[in-house]
């Protein structure tokens, strides 16, 4: 059996902007010379779909029934960090998530590991520089952590599996497209392999080789775009997304129609909105697609409801806020629930870009807007959902200036405040794809290949 | 100008089982001889659609984009009572709803009045017995009352306009099909013109002459069927159904698909379920169609949400209840939210027929089940939504025996009770169509043609 060797090759450019490479030196010096541990630590971002993925055409290969498009969120606020270490002396694959050892035998983890080793094996066998390319046969230890609470209901599995795929690729020296590795863990994880704006093309092939993620525009493309995550107080989720989407495919006539007849045109339009930075149309389509996704959940039998009363209040707040800012023309409807037209003025000197919501498989809202609107919208949220206990921690992430609400806005929004409905807000923006961390202090596994004790 | 004459002709058989005729005697005796008042008092039922109507293809004629099918509820529990009086001496049309005078100039009221007078005129002009058939030119006074609170969010407009059409037809001597008269007031009102199970055929003609209601089966057809209305505590409705369905037609791609590709087959299947009294399939399709209607509301832009968190708890309760009673075969899914399969036993000696929900444009649930299941389901509702203040008035309408819940059912249902979420339950059943009241004491207008003082 060959010896595991550090991968000195730079990270593959195809899977994002890698800034480092395999890190083996500290491991080697701390261990006896005959037990080198090769370790790599990477981070990966959360992504939020604006054209939603819901439903698989192949459960095993995780191939979707429609394409989807997402925005990669900045890792300063939300990220997964993963360290993968290989050593000839590890006797089995092991994994720790947020400090707790988990069952490495889970089918999705196994699918990722098998796929990355297949790619590693394939690469080495074709490379004359690596006469003994057997690192892919080494067992691996993996430790992964999120910098945000899993309970927040954010899409941790996408960041998690993207980070796993990216980190394993570096430790095993794989340079090919990682869409399939990440996708086998969690479909939407392939979109977290890139920064900026990313589409996951559904593909047509039965083997899924053309079901891949690609970047539509980099994170630098739309610097004014801002993202607010409104974390909603809620009990546990009743229906997991894996089971949920399977039931939807089996029982919802509307889902099939959406996938076949609605999404293809929406993908084209959304890519245009991004390319042209057309926020008006981007926001409207984002909301419509979120609503349609939740509509197909409700059309499932038994029905699935991820939105709760607070989610619906947020939806209503956004439409009122937009109406007050005059977004009643150019495709924005004038009638917003019970807000009568007399409250709605045309866009004037005080009008601001609109705000858009999207909801994944849970009650939390993700809000998109432009920087000039953020402060006023956050003030509106505070007004409608007065913070209960943690007023000082209500706003996290990027700083947001305090703003005063006009009496007009208060009159429209403040009819029915819901104290405590929103636990906190994370303010963030579009961000880059996965990163390799050079700092040895960032590693989650010690020189012995076991998780470091918590600091 | 001709004199208004009492209509002595029996009520038209085509519009239900009329038991009486125009009542003019008391009015005549109380008034001076030269001022006869012809008055008729009728009642009409509420109907609940199991295949939903949502969306018009013609706003003025109120022609729907799809056919619908409903169950007529019994008037012992829910009804509208209307008295219409005509007199040569009335100088204008007037209307009182629940004791308060309303604007008779409302377009929908005017459309009904115009249509009934057109039919009256047409009939008389073709009848040699009525040489001076001018009662249709008399002004009318109308008083209408519901025996249930309008605030309960029940479909009062359907019963109201059906009753108006039926009563006006009797007072003006119209015997033709009343679908159009009722429909011009409120689309679904045409379904309240019959008892039992009623379909509203969408029709194809531009003038709407073939958009009519007809009875699928009479109320005697399925005597075991029971209906429970769960009145949910809620604020005011944000989007009225008229505005809501118009916005849906304009903005929801899913609604168009539903109307064209889903509903036609569902109409055929639902009529079969009724004919064959197949409750298993009836219940499932009722729930699926309710869910799909609300899905198209959510796909509307801005989205419409009529269901609230209590509605969703009721949905969840029904699926759990059914799962526990073994309704996991024959098309009932085994997986119900977080209820694990180990709780679900196959249909055994204790199993009961299932329960089905449907929701109209509001948060109230209407439950269908068979008589042998009612007591246990009501106990389950009490357990999940403990009554708050009005424990003694929690159950209204038909008597329901108290029932004990099994520990197994309690374990599945009682995880998360929501006190006060349901205000009260009205227990009822399928009922007959509109009725003519012979009892002069039931009249809502006095001999002077004005509302009687409240008793």
């Amino acid at each position: 059996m060959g010896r595991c060797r550090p991968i000195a090759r730079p990270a593959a450019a195809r899977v994002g902007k890698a800034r480092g490479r395999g890190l083996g030196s500290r491991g080697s010096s701390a261990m006896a010379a005959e037990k080198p541990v090769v370790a790599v630590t990477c981070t990966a971002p959360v992504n939020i779909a604006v054209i939603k993925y819901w439903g698989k055409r192949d459960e095993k290969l995780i191939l979707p029934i429609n394409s989807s498009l997402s925005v990669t969120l900045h890792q300063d606020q939300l990220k997964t960090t993963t360290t993968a270490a290989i050593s000839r002396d590890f006797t089995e694959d092991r994994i720790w998530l947020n400090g707790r050892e988990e069952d490495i035998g889970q089918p999705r983890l196994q699918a990722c590991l098998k796929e990355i080793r297949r790619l590693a094996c394939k690469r080495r066998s074709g490379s004359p520089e690596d006469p003994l390319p057997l690192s892919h046969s080494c067992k691996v230890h993996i430790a992964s952590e999120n910098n945000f609470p899993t309970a927040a209901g954010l899409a941790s599995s996408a960041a998690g599996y993207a980070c796993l795929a990216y980190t394993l690729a570096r430790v095993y020296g794989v340079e090919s497209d990682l869409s399939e590795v990440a996708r086998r863990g969690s479909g939407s994880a392939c979109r977290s392999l890139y920064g900026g704006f990313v589409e996951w093309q559904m593909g047509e092939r039965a083997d899924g080789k053309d079901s891949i993620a690609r970047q539509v525009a980099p994170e630098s493309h739309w610097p004014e775009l801002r993202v607010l995550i409104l974390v909603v107080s809620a009990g546990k989720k009743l229906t997991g997304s894996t089971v949920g989407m399977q039931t939807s495919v089996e029982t919802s006539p509307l889902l099939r129609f959406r996938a076949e007849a609605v999404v293809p045109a929406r993908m084209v339009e959304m890519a245009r909105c991004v390319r042209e930075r057309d926020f008006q149309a981007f926001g409207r389509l984002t909301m419509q697609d979120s609503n349609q996704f939740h509509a197909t959940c409700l059309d499932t039998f038994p029905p699935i409801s991820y939105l709760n009363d607070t989610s619906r209040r947020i939806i209503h707040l956004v439409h009122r806020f937009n109406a007050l800012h005059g977004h009643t023309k150019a495709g924005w409807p004038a009638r917003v629930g019970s807000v009568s037209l007399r409250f709605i003025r045309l866009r004037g000197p005080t009008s601001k870009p609109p705000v858009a919501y999207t909801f994944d498989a849970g009650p939390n809202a993700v809000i998109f807007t432009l920087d000039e609107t953020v402060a006023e919208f956050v003030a509106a949220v505070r007004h409608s959902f007065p913070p209960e206990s943690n007023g000082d921690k209500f706003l996290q992430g990027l700083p947001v200036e305090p703003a005063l609400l006009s009496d007009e806005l208060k009159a429209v929004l403040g009819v029915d405040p819901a104290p405590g409905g929103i636990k906190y807000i994370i303010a963030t923006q579009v961000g880059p794809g996965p990163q390799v961390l050079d700092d040895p202090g960032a590693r989650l596994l010690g020189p012995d290949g076991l998780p470091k004790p918590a600091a």
Side-chain angles (χ1 to χ4, degrees), chain A residues 222-226 277 279-280 353-355 368-375:
Chain A
W222 202 344
E224 304 82 14
L225 197 65
R226 291 291 177 277
R277 291 186 285 269
F279 189 75
Q280 197 90 342
V355 171
F368 291 99
T369 190
L370 300 184
D371 51 0
E372 61 178 302
T373 306
V374 169

Side-chain angles (χ1 to χ4, degrees), chain A residues 31-97:
Chain A
M31 303 287 290
E34 70 275 20
K35 293 180 178 179
V37 170
V38 179
V40 181
T41 301
C42 302
T43 64
V46 167
N47 75 77
I48 300 293
V50 289
I51 300 293
K52 301 291 189 192
Y53 153 55
W54 194 252
K56 302 181 186 74
R57 66 177 198 276
D58 186 311
E59 292 280 335
K60 185 166 160 278
L61 297 176
I62 308 198
L63 302 177
I65 60 170
N66 60 256
S67 299
S68 54
L69 200 150
S70 61
V71 177
T72 298
L73 304 191
H74 205 290
Q75 296 175 56
D76 281 356
Q77 281 75 44
L78 301 163
K79 70 179 171 199
T80 295
T81 304
T82 299
T83 299
I86 53 175
S87 165
R88 196 167 59 120
D89 298 323
F90 291 166
T91 55
E92 53 180 353
D93 295 330
R94 297 177 72 181
I95 188 165
W96 293 263
L97 299 182

Side-chain angles (χ1 to χ4, degrees), chain A residues 69-296:
Chain A
L69 200 150
S70 61
V71 177
T72 298
L73 304 191
H74 205 290
Q75 296 175 56
D76 281 356
Q77 281 75 44
L78 301 163
K79 70 179 171 199
T80 295
T81 304
T82 299
T83 299
I86 53 175
S87 165
R88 196 167 59 120
D89 298 323
F90 291 166
T91 55
E92 53 180 353
D93 295 330
R94 297 177 72 181
I95 188 165
W96 293 263
L97 299 182
N98 295 314
R100 215 181 69 174
E101 183 155 17
E102 301 280 341
D103 176 16
I104 192 80
Q106 292 169 56
R108 291 185 166 208
L109 281 174
Q110 285 298 312
C112 291
L113 280 170
K114 197 173 160 189
E115 180 64 15
I116 202 81
R117 283 173 170 142
R118 190 184 67 77
L119 293 172
C121 187
K122 191 174 156 192
R123 174 182 166 268
R124 300 298 168 76
S125 62
S127 163
E129 310 155 44
D130 294 306
L132 284 171
L134 294 174
S135 70
H136 63 275
S137 67
C138 289
K139 298 298 181 190
V140 66
H141 284 192
I142 302 160
S144 190
E145 276 180 4
N146 298 325
N147 72 341
F148 54 93
T150 307
L154 300 162
S156 57
S157 66
Y161 279 107
C163 207
L164 180 69
Y166 196 82
T167 312
L168 289 176
R170 260 126 215 90
V171 84
Y172 282 117
V174 169
E175 293 177 4
S176 54
D177 185 273
L178 296 177
S179 287
E180 179 158 2
V181 186
R183 207 187 65 217
R184 295 292 289 269
S186 174
S188 56
C190 67
R191 296 188 314 240
S192 275
L193 292 170
Y194 300 90
F197 303 83
V198 183
E199 68 176 16
W200 173 15
Q201 298 164 336
M202 64 175 287
E204 293 176 358
R205 290 175 52 165
D207 66 2
K209 295 301 176 197
D210 58 351
S211 187
I212 54 170
R214 71 169 199 98
Q215 192 178 64
V216 174
E219 60 272 24
S220 57
H221 171 70
W222 202 344
E224 304 82 14
L225 197 65
R226 291 291 177 277
V227 182
L228 300 169
I229 299 167
L230 311 188
V231 179
V232 164
S233 310
K236 68 179 169 64
K237 186 155 72 172
L238 288 169
T239 310
S241 54
T242 302
V243 164
M245 68 174 72
Q246 189 184 341
T247 313
S248 292
V249 168
E250 289 163 6
T251 64
S252 168
L254 300 186
L255 178 62
R256 186 165 301 272
F257 175 75
R258 161 178 164 72
E260 290 171 5
V262 180
V263 172
R266 287 190 171 181
M267 285 295 293
V268 173
E269 168 65 1
M270 188 59 90
R272 183 200 67 75
C273 294
V274 169
R275 272 198 316 275
E276 299 177 8
R277 291 186 285 269
D278 178 351
F279 189 75
Q280 197 90 342
F282 173 88
R284 183 183 163 107
L285 188 52
T286 294
M287 292 189 277
Q288 286 178 315
D289 206 68
S290 173
N291 294 337
Q292 188 168 89
F293 152 54
H294 291 282
T296 64

Side-chain angles (χ1 to χ4, degrees), chain A residues 410-428:
Chain A
K410 276 186 196 166
V412 171
L413 301 179
V415 276
D416 194 11
I422 293 178
K423 281 196 290 193
Y424 56 91
I425 300 176
I426 303 169
T428 183

